[in-house]
Amino acid sequence: MPAITSLADFNRNQSAVISRLKETAEPLYLTRNGKSAVVVMDAEAIDRAISRRQQEHEREMDVYRGLLAGYQEAQEGKVFETGDVFV
């Protein structure tokens, strides 16, 4: 369950809330008039999350490029007979 607090409570207790954000490294949803308004997160935690996502994306792209290269080779007739591969 995500952490949720009001924007007014955040403004009254900024130091305590920021300390909690650093400790948990989890996002905090701030509400205004009972509805989600913004999400805040510790800067180091968001940097790590972004870096992790970029690494995941790069791995996904490596797989995609490998699949595309194999498809192109197949289209060009660069294929092997099953018996030549599985001896």
Side-chain angles (χ1 to χ4, degrees), residues 15-83:
S15 293
V17 173
I18 291 170
S19 293
R20 190 172 75 220
L21 288 170
K22 284 189 170 296
E23 290 172 14
T24 65
E26 295 292 325
L28 174 65
Y29 290 76
L30 301 179
T31 61
R32 178 186 290 156
N33 299 324
K35 296 180 182 177
S36 284
V38 295
V39 177
V40 293
M41 192 170 182
D42 176 63
E44 289 178 11
I46 193 70
D47 288 345
R48 285 191 304 272
I50 290 170
S51 176
R52 191 169 41 253
R53 179 60 192 120
Q54 288 172 335
Q55 291 169 354
E56 290 170 2
H57 176 72
E58 194 54 44
R59 285 192 299 271
E60 291 169 0
M61 292 305 297
D62 287 344
V63 169
Y64 174 74
R65 285 188 282 271
L67 291 170
L68 184 58
Y71 177 76
Q72 289 172 338
E73 288 178 3
Q75 292 292 338
E76 295 168 2
K78 299 177 183 176
V79 296
F80 299 96
E81 295 295 323
T82 307

Side-chain angles (χ1 to χ4, degrees), residues 2-20:
I4 302 170
T5 193
S6 70
L7 191 54
D9 186 50
F10 174 78
N11 286 330
R12 281 191 300 270
N13 303 301
Q14 286 183 23
S15 293
V17 173
I18 291 170
S19 293
R20 190 172 75 220

